[in-house]
Amino acid sequence: MRERVAEETYWLELTAPEIAAQAAPGQFVMVGFGASAWGIPFLPRPNSVAAVRGEHIGLLIRVYGAGSRRLTALKPGEEALVLGPLGTHFELNGARRILCVAGGVGLAPFLLLPAWPPLVSCGAEVRLLYGERQAAAVFDPGKLREISGLEAEIWTEDGSLGSHGRVTDGVDLNGVDLVLTCGPTPMLKAVRALAVEAGVACQLAVEEHMACGVGTCIGCAIETVDPETGEAGYSLVCSDGPVFPAERLRW
Amino acid sequence: MRERVAEETYWLELTAPEIAAQAAPGQFVMVGFGASAWGIPFLPRPNSVAAVRGEHIGLLIRVYGAGSRRLTALKPGEEALVLGPLGTHFELNGARRILCVAGGVGLAPFLLLPAWPPLVSCGAEVRLLYGERQAAAVFDPGKLREISGLEAEIWTEDGSLGSHGRVTDGVDLNGVDLVLTCGPTPMLKAVRALAVEAGVACQLAVEEHMACGVGTCIGCAIETVDPETGEAGYSLVCSDGPVFPAERLRW
Amino acid sequence: MVDLSIQVFGVDFQNPVLLASGTCGYGEEYADIIPVDELGGIVTKAVTPEPRAGNPPTRVSETPGGMINAIGLANVGLARFRREKLPWLRDNLSKARVLVNVAGWSVNDFVKVVAGLDDADGFLGYEVNVSCPNVEGGTMFGTDELSLAQLVRALRAITERPLVVKLTPNVADIGVFADICEENGADGLSTINTFPGMVIDIEARRPVIGNVTGGISGPAIRPMGVFATWKVASRVKLPVIGIGGICNARDAMEYMLAGASLVQIGTAMFVDPYTAPETIKGLHDICERQGVAQLSELVGALEA
Amino acid sequence: MVDLSIQVFGVDFQNPVLLASGTCGYGEEYADIIPVDELGGIVTKAVTPEPRAGNPPTRVSETPGGMINAIGLANVGLARFRREKLPWLRDNLSKARVLVNVAGWSVNDFVKVVAGLDDADGFLGYEVNVSCPNVEGGTMFGTDELSLAQLVRALRAITERPLVVKLTPNVADIGVFADICEENGADGLSTINTFPGMVIDIEARRPVIGNVTGGISGPAIRPMGVFATWKVASRVKLPVIGIGGICNARDAMEYMLAGASLVQIGTAMFVDPYTAPETIKGLHDICERQGVAQLSELVGALEA
Ligand SMILES: Cc1cc2nc3c(=O)[nH]c(=O)nc-3n(C[C@H](O)[C@H](O)[C@H](O)COP(=O)(O)OP(=O)(O)OC[C@H]3O[C@@H](n4cnc5c(N)ncnc54)[C@H](O)[C@@H]3O)c2cc1C
Ligand SMILES: Cc1cc2nc3c(=O)[nH]c(=O)nc-3n(C[C@H](O)[C@H](O)[C@H](O)COP(=O)(O)OP(=O)(O)OC[C@H]3O[C@@H](n4cnc5c(N)ncnc54)[C@H](O)[C@@H]3O)c2cc1C
Ligand SMILES: Cc1cc2nc3c(=O)[nH]c(=O)nc-3n(C[C@H](O)[C@H](O)[C@H](O)COP(=O)(O)O)c2cc1C
Ligand SMILES: Cc1cc2nc3c(=O)[nH]c(=O)nc-3n(C[C@H](O)[C@H](O)[C@H](O)COP(=O)(O)O)c2cc1C
Ligand code: FES
Ligand code: FES
């Protein structure tokens, strides 16, 4: 299934029973088309698992370059190679009030959150802030509710829908004991700074170019620091991440 | 329009008004998908113009490798790059009784013959021999008649349809004053040998790997001889051919 | 309005997009298909002292993201080029610039061609092909430092026209060869020619290409071409012509940012002859979007 | 039944399909995904004397028909490799053969790694990486005849295990370097490593890769890899391991016909980890269809 859900943004459902049975919010899949079909895209592309419905997984994809264009052109019945679920996921760590901050298609992992058994069983309260540049790019709130059960507080930079401003303007950490965030790096940095300042635990789902997705190519390195020793080094986004606690990132 | 007409063989119609207005039997088009889409196929592929219907041209394509697979997967509304009509065509030279010998998709150029104005106006008689390995590969005779108005004498190597044997077994040059042939090289050589022996004029539509189709890459060379001076050299299949008189080929 | 023109070799090119040698014949072949005189220029098929029939078929085939070719420098030879091809170029191209690609197997071969053309009309200068991998000894000048120096000196001595040397990527350090050209009087460098390659028909157990091996071109080699261009342009003061896998304006821009003053499009022209005119239009559009008034400002503007 | 096994370096490989260095970690990473012990073998990520953090991001990106990488030889270093990685290989691979890829910046670096591993269990021999283009001086051994000779001699003196040298294509004549390895005691040659390349983000006007330049791999370089393999295999008597752009059994067969006794799959494993097992199955099917009982008969069977 493929559906246009906003400007240049598509909702894709793929049949992948094993992945559907295991995926947790923040984890991703590598989606590609095989090595013998060396056209565009050649390498598979990482995409967050945004929903699980029976044997299907849902992906929220914005057309950016060649890979996302090909993925969103997938036709019903067509096959793709899907490897996953990969990487780390958000950890609730007993939190009671969770603030999720999403920028653009960084919304994807949060859509999976309400149905995730650990969240269901702990019953924590989830508030979701979701920012886009303008109204046309906003994932339809009805569809969002239908897929995830979430009610997003929408921010647009030009004020054309929801609140006017950057999504970070909406961040209020009062009473919050865990911040989860995913989106463009500048936004992640801003959210992280707010959380660190307020002393609230924060986990970030970050992005880096990938080849293998499983830790063999050592390609998706990101600068990190060992919170205990303070030692600087690199971690792999695909296998040490993509979700990192704020204190691990050397930003 | 795309239609399966035999095992792994497709009839494709493309909208190409300028080519449709000019194409003559034996001429070809280069069909490709653009340089920025450097997937498979990258280079365009030569294909004989097999029909002209108003603004459309018809191609008869057998799936062989990556290029023909992609071409025959073209969907209605999808765009391809078509350059043509290119190359030389068959020449009637006042012939009255013409024998056409086709092997496999070498059938393509002959489908265009009956509707070709020079043939219509000269009223020459056309007999078509058409060979395939087995029945499953044979272009549906009804469809063949519908497209071209031709009644083919079918030969299959295993005798599963029409006469049993190689198409060259059916060649009878009695009263024939021009032989036109297109198909696999061994068949072309056999037909050429029969015509030369019988002293009947013969033109062959040959194949060679191509890049440009218009004479710039000098890639589609074939060994030829100057019939007057006897000098050996190379000619270009795309611009000196694809149709060559038998005496030009150094075979 | 964006200004795409650029001053190279002391003359003005209306835009930086040329057609690469061996992929546009002698210009005439494309005359009915695209407006050749609107291009920055063309580089002719290689000209050798005598006519050459070329290699046995098959000469071209597709490879992943590109193609292999072993044409074998098939060309009409110096005399017919001057008699039959140059006049067309002279009469039909008034704005597009023409470089004559020159090939040979000895310094004397190259000297013969340059000496035989230098007083003729219809072209700007020479592109010296020291890098064709398809003929015996064909890489000699491009991979041997002393021979290359000698060749460039010999040609410099007999012509005042722009003398561009086309380098092969098939060396450990292309910068060394760029230096040699600069020191011996070349006016510019073209990077890159094809990579040696081979494709095998696993059913016939034979090479697909009649000549056994051939040169690889097309998008597959673009990152190598951009690298070579950047390396050479960072090293010498001569203008560099960027070549290899250019399919559109974005690709051309990569080469210009890496230091190319001009670019050439080869293989992509086979895929679509409109590639060159559309690249010119695309460069215009990118500059407009990025707020660049003068394309030439972007030459070597890479921050690295 | 087709026999895919082949005797190389005096031991039996159950089939000729290995995973290339840097594309399969230390084997363990693929253990849950594919049956690693069913492969011909694996070549580990490069091991250097000390651990290396590697290059700044971005380290990988897609290119036409392939990819660019500049990992910078990130690895756990000799001590941790021996302590943490070798035991897994020893305990989990009983049929697949292991080559340890060794890298360094001086003869002494290589000697340290080989000397530090030679008495350990869990691997067959060494693949000496003299061709990594991503580190300063990294191509030194691969492009300098004297240094290469010295390196091979030094390693030969301290190990009896199979010593395979992995050559760079980035030289004028790879045959010369193959000769040097043979003369100085190497047991085999791997062809090829990546080509230096560069990709530019034309909006940011910066290189995409943090290290500015990187190595190009994938199908785009397959014709170059087949050519290098053919050239080297035609020249020396040593067994050759064919590498570059192999995506399926047909591609592997091209390398074997060109003279490779073994092949390695790298980049294609990122696209689909099943590429290696499916290539093994595909080789079986091709042999069956062609009526070949023993795959090893096809090594170098090209008619050229
Ligand atoms: C863990 C993870 C989860 C992701 N989840 C989603 C998602 O749910 N929805 C979505 O639309 N996108 C997601 N992305 C980004 C996605 O993987 C693609 O990179 C992006 O769609 C652009 O690829 P492209 O081929 O269209 O662009 P191109 O520009 O053609 O890509 C060229 C190369 O750059 C890489 N690249 C470009 N942008 C990014 C980026 N932002 N992050 C990583 N690599 C990049 C590509 O992978 C490719 O190798 C995710 C990335 C990561 C790392
Ligand atoms: C003048 C001319 C007219 C043609 N008309 C037709 C037609 O009407 N119908 C049809 O089905 N085919 C026709 N062909 C053959 C067609 O161009 C393709 O080459 C063929 O379909 C195989 O291409 P592929 O990409 O599927 O195979 P691949 O094996 O993937 O092709 C690999 C390369 O080999 C070349 N190649 C392979 N086989 C041939 C061949 N027989 N002739 C030339 N090049 C080849 C391809 O062009 C390509 O460069 C014609 C060829 C020529 C020269
Ligand atoms: C069919 C063909 C013929 C070529 N002939 C020549 C030639 O005669 N002289 C020359 O210097 N380069 C020749 N080249 C190399 C091209 O000019 C160019 O350097 C190379 O193809 C890389 O550019 P591209 O990827 O845009 O094709 C030829 C290339 C091809 C594909
Ligand atoms: C991400 C990556 C890392 C690599 N690391 C190494 C390495 O550590 N040592 C080495 O000898 N080759 C290394 N290589 C080169 C590969 O082993 C192989 O020679 C090359 O990629 C060509 O094969 P391919 O086209 O199948 O990938 C690496 C290649 C890639 C893509
Ligand atoms: S993508 Fe290969 S290690 Fe992370
Ligand atoms: S295909 Fe280029 S000259 Fe014929």
Side-chain angles (χ1 to χ4, degrees):
Chain A
M1 199 205 72
R2 183 187 85 125
E3 198 178 331
R4 185 178 179 284
V5 290
E7 194 175 55
E8 296 277 24
T9 311
Y10 295 83
W11 180 259
L12 220 83
E13 282 186 18
L14 308 174
T15 310
E18 290 181 41
I19 300 172
Q22 299 167 49
Q27 287 191 302
F28 65 100
V29 288
M30 293 295 277
V31 191
F33 295 89
S36 291
W38 47 257
I40 300 178
F42 173 63
L43 294 175
R45 297 290 192 267
N47 283 98
S48 305
V49 181
V52 163
R53 299 184 173 194
E55 304 207 313
H56 309 288
I57 57 168
L59 305 180
L60 177 65
I61 301 183
R62 180 154 294 165
V63 176
Y64 176 77
S68 45
R69 195 171 307 123
R70 175 71 186 88
L71 276 183
T72 54
L74 265 172
K75 305 235 161 52
E78 224 184 315
E79 293 195 6
L81 293 170
V82 189
L83 188 69
L86 303 169
T88 57
H89 49 74
F90 293 118
E91 299 282 359
L92 301 181
N93 298 335
R96 302 302 316 154
R97 290 189 60 200
I98 302 173
L99 178 70
C100 303
V101 188
V105 280
L107 176 66
F110 300 114
L111 300 180
L112 188 58
L113 202 55
W116 189 39
L119 190 99
V120 175
S121 61
C122 82
E125 179 193 314
V126 175
R127 190 180 153 213
L128 169 63
L129 303 180
Y130 165 38
E132 292 281 7
R133 211 150 272 169
Q134 75 253 5
V138 175
F139 186 81
D140 172 53
K143 175 91 185 163
L144 195 158
R145 200 180 306 119
E146 181 202 320
I147 287 172
S148 67
L150 282 173
E151 207 64 62
E153 296 168 37
I154 294 164
W155 287 74
T156 53
E157 288 183 29
D158 66 355
S160 50
L161 192 79
S163 311
H164 188 162
R166 292 171 188 269
V167 67
T168 40
D169 298 341
V171 172
D172 173 3
L173 296 177
N174 230 328
V176 168
D177 50 11
L178 178 61
V179 179
L180 307 179
T181 182
C182 182
T185 304
M187 186 206 84
L188 295 186
K189 289 187 174 169
V191 173
R192 178 174 176 273
L194 293 170
V196 168
E197 198 188 340
V200 179
C202 175
Q203 295 165 24
L204 306 93
V206 304
E207 294 188 349
E208 191 42 77
H209 290 229
M210 292 187 178
C212 71
V214 297
T216 62
C217 77
I218 329 284
C220 60
I222 184 171
E223 296 186 321
T224 52
V225 66
D226 186 319
E228 269 141 53
T229 65
E231 214 181 310
Y234 292 112
S235 296
L236 298 180
V237 172
C238 71
S239 43
D240 301 322
V243 176
F244 290 94
E247 53 283 12
R248 284 281 305 277
L249 298 172
R250 192 152 37 123
W251 270 356
Chain B
M1 199 204 71
R2 184 187 84 125
E3 197 178 333
R4 185 179 177 286
V5 290
E7 194 175 56
E8 296 276 23
T9 312
Y10 295 83
W11 179 259
L12 220 82
E13 283 186 18
L14 308 174
T15 310
E18 289 181 39
I19 300 171
Q22 301 167 48
Q27 287 191 300
F28 66 100
V29 288
M30 294 295 277
V31 192
F33 296 90
S36 290
W38 48 256
I40 300 178
F42 173 64
L43 294 175
R45 297 290 192 268
N47 283 98
S48 304
V49 180
V52 162
R53 301 185 172 192
E55 304 207 311
H56 310 288
I57 57 169
L59 306 179
L60 177 65
I61 301 183
R62 181 154 293 166
V63 175
Y64 177 78
S68 46
R69 195 169 308 121
R70 176 69 186 88
L71 276 183
T72 54
L74 265 172
K75 304 236 161 52
E78 222 183 316
E79 293 194 8
L81 292 170
V82 189
L83 188 68
L86 302 169
T88 57
H89 48 73
F90 293 120
E91 299 282 357
L92 302 180
N93 298 336
R96 303 301 315 154
R97 290 189 61 201
I98 302 174
L99 179 69
C100 304
V101 188
V105 281
L107 176 65
F110 301 115
L111 300 180
L112 189 57
L113 202 55
W116 189 36
L119 189 100
V120 174
S121 60
C122 83
E125 178 192 315
V126 175
R127 190 179 154 214
L128 170 63
L129 303 180
Y130 165 38
E132 290 282 6
R133 213 151 271 171
Q134 75 253 6
V138 174
F139 186 81
D140 171 53
K143 175 92 185 162
L144 194 158
R145 199 180 308 119
E146 181 202 320
I147 287 173
S148 67
L150 282 172
E151 206 64 60
E153 297 168 38
I154 294 163
W155 288 73
T156 53
E157 289 182 29
D158 66 355
S160 50
L161 192 77
S163 311
H164 187 164
R166 291 171 187 271
V167 67
T168 43
D169 299 340
V171 171
D172 173 1
L173 296 177
N174 230 328
V176 168
D177 51 10
L178 178 62
V179 180
L180 307 179
T181 183
C182 181
T185 303
M187 187 206 83
L188 295 186
K189 289 188 174 168
V191 173
R192 178 174 176 275
L194 292 171
V196 167
E197 197 188 341
V200 179
C202 175
Q203 294 165 24
L204 305 93
V206 303
E207 293 188 349
E208 190 43 76
H209 290 229
M210 293 186 176
C212 70
V214 296
T216 61
C217 76
I218 329 285
C220 59
I222 184 171
E223 295 187 323
T224 51
V225 66
D226 185 319
E228 269 143 52
T229 64
E231 214 181 309
Y234 291 112
S235 295
L236 298 181
V237 171
C238 71
S239 43
D240 302 321
V243 177
F244 290 94
E247 54 282 11
R248 283 281 305 275
L249 297 172
R250 190 147 46 114
W251 270 356
Chain C
M1 252 328 268
V2 178
D3 184 359
L4 295 184
S5 75
I6 184 159
Q7 182 109 23
V8 191
F9 312 130
V11 302
D12 224 49
F13 285 71
Q14 58 184 337
N15 63 64
V17 179
L18 282 69
L19 303 184
S21 177
T23 66
C24 59
Y26 303 102
E28 210 174 330
E29 293 86 341
Y30 273 130
D32 290 343
I33 306 178
I34 55 165
V36 180
D37 204 27
E38 303 297 316
L39 304 178
I42 71 162
V43 186
T44 69
K45 176 75 196 162
V47 177
T48 53
E50 299 303 320
R52 286 178 57 85
N55 288 331
T58 295
R59 292 183 177 177
V60 293
S61 198
E62 179 158 326
T63 61
M67 65 179 283
I68 182 167
N69 92 79
I71 308 299
L73 295 179
N75 80 98
V76 297
L78 168 62
R80 271 185 66 198
F81 172 72
R82 182 169 173 144
R83 199 170 61 236
E84 297 172 17
K85 306 297 177 182
L86 258 188
W88 186 91
L89 293 167
R90 181 194 60 212
D91 298 343
N92 290 276
L93 302 187
S94 62
K95 295 177 289 168
R97 305 288 181 178
V98 177
L99 294 178
V100 176
N101 187 270
V102 183
W105 293 260
S106 64
V107 171
N108 198 29
D109 283 346
F110 287 91
V111 165
K112 265 191 204 150
V113 175
V114 169
L117 287 176
D118 217 49
D119 65 339
D121 286 340
F123 71 107
L124 172 69
Y126 306 98
E127 182 181 65
V128 184
N129 175 8
V130 293
S131 42
C132 176
N134 301 326
V135 287
E136 214 175 327
T139 46
M140 187 173 64
F141 293 101
T143 60
D144 184 290
E145 305 178 23
L146 287 177
S147 317
L148 182 62
Q150 200 189 347
L151 175 64
V152 176
R153 261 201 315 275
L155 296 179
R156 181 72 294 163
I158 60 166
T159 183
E160 312 230 297
R161 290 183 187 257
L163 191 62
V164 180
V165 182
K166 183 165 176 180
L167 298 175
T168 172
N170 200 37
V171 293
D173 182 359
I174 199 170
V176 171
F177 294 86
D179 281 345
I180 290 170
C181 294
E182 184 167 53
E183 285 158 14
N184 288 281
D187 297 305
L189 297 167
S190 292
T191 49
I192 56 175
N193 211 314
T194 56
F195 285 89
M198 185 166 174
V199 178
I200 292 171
D201 178 336
I202 69 156
E203 305 300 338
R205 296 184 193 159
R206 300 178 63 86
V208 168
I209 294 297
N211 184 53
V212 180
T213 66
I216 308 298
S217 61
I221 68 164
R222 191 168 66 232
M224 293 80 142
V226 172
F227 168 75
T229 300
W230 173 75
K231 202 162 172 188
V232 166
S234 320
R235 179 121 160 195
V236 298
K237 291 201 191 62
L238 301 182
V240 179
I241 308 182
I243 319 174
I246 298 176
C247 295
N248 54 42
R250 300 184 69 85
D251 301 345
M253 195 67 101
E254 283 198 52
Y255 276 93
M256 297 192 74
L257 290 169
S261 303
L262 302 170
V263 297
Q264 293 177 20
I265 303 183
T267 303
M269 289 297 289
F270 303 151
V271 180
D272 181 1
Y274 287 91
T275 303
E278 278 172 9
T279 298
I280 296 168
K281 191 179 166 306
L283 284 172
H284 186 278
D285 295 349
I286 293 175
C287 285
E288 203 157 65
R289 180 166 48 74
Q290 294 191 348
V292 174
Q294 181 84 41
L295 174 58
S296 57
E297 285 166 19
L298 295 184
V299 172
L302 185 77
E303 292 169 34
Chain D
M1 254 326 270
V2 178
D3 183 359
L4 296 184
S5 75
I6 184 160
Q7 183 109 23
V8 190
F9 314 129
V11 302
D12 225 48
F13 285 72
Q14 58 183 340
N15 64 62
V17 179
L18 283 68
L19 304 185
S21 176
T23 65
C24 58
Y26 302 101
E28 209 174 331
E29 292 86 341
Y30 274 130
D32 290 342
I33 307 179
I34 56 165
V36 179
D37 204 26
E38 304 297 315
L39 305 178
I42 72 162
V43 187
T44 68
K45 177 73 196 163
V47 177
T48 53
E50 300 302 321
R52 286 178 56 85
N55 288 331
T58 295
R59 292 183 177 178
V60 293
S61 197
E62 179 158 327
T63 62
M67 65 178 283
I68 182 167
N69 91 78
I71 308 298
L73 296 180
N75 80 97
V76 297
L78 168 62
R80 270 186 64 197
F81 173 73
R82 182 168 174 146
R83 198 170 62 235
E84 297 172 17
K85 306 297 177 181
L86 258 187
W88 187 90
L89 294 167
R90 182 193 61 211
D91 298 343
N92 290 278
L93 302 187
S94 62
K95 297 177 289 168
R97 304 287 180 178
V98 177
L99 294 178
V100 177
N101 188 270
V102 183
W105 293 260
S106 64
V107 172
N108 198 30
D109 282 346
F110 288 91
V111 165
K112 264 191 204 151
V113 176
V114 169
L117 288 176
D118 217 50
D119 65 339
D121 286 340
F123 71 109
L124 172 69
Y126 306 97
E127 182 180 66
V128 184
N129 176 8
V130 293
S131 42
C132 176
N134 300 326
V135 286
E136 214 176 328
T139 47
M140 185 173 68
F141 292 102
T143 60
D144 184 289
E145 306 178 21
L146 287 178
S147 316
L148 182 62
Q150 200 190 348
L151 174 64
V152 176
R153 260 201 317 273
L155 296 179
R156 180 72 296 164
I158 59 166
T159 183
E160 313 229 296
R161 291 185 187 256
L163 191 62
V164 180
V165 182
K166 182 164 178 181
L167 298 175
T168 173
N170 200 36
V171 293
D173 181 0
I174 199 169
V176 170
F177 294 86
D179 282 346
I180 290 170
C181 294
E182 185 168 52
E183 286 157 14
N184 287 282
D187 297 305
L189 297 166
S190 292
T191 49
I192 56 176
N193 212 313
T194 55
F195 285 89
M198 184 166 173
V199 178
I200 292 171
D201 177 335
I202 68 157
E203 305 299 339
R205 297 186 193 157
R206 300 178 63 87
V208 168
I209 294 296
N211 186 52
V212 180
T213 67
I216 308 298
S217 61
I221 69 164
R222 191 168 65 232
M224 292 80 142
V226 172
F227 168 77
T229 299
W230 173 75
K231 202 162 174 189
V232 166
S234 320
R235 179 121 161 195
V236 298
K237 292 202 190 62
L238 301 182
V240 180
I241 308 182
I243 318 173
I246 297 177
C247 294
N248 53 42
R250 302 184 69 86
D251 301 345
M253 195 67 103
E254 283 198 51
Y255 275 94
M256 297 191 74
L257 290 168
S261 303
L262 303 170
V263 297
Q264 292 177 21
I265 303 183
T267 304
M269 289 298 288
F270 303 151
V271 180
D272 180 3
Y274 286 91
T275 303
E278 278 170 11
T279 297
I280 296 168
K281 191 180 165 304
L283 284 171
H284 187 278
D285 295 348
I286 292 176
C287 286
E288 202 157 66
R289 180 166 49 75
Q290 294 190 349
V292 174
Q294 182 84 38
L295 174 60
S296 57
E297 286 167 18
L298 295 185
V299 172
L302 185 77
E303 293 169 34

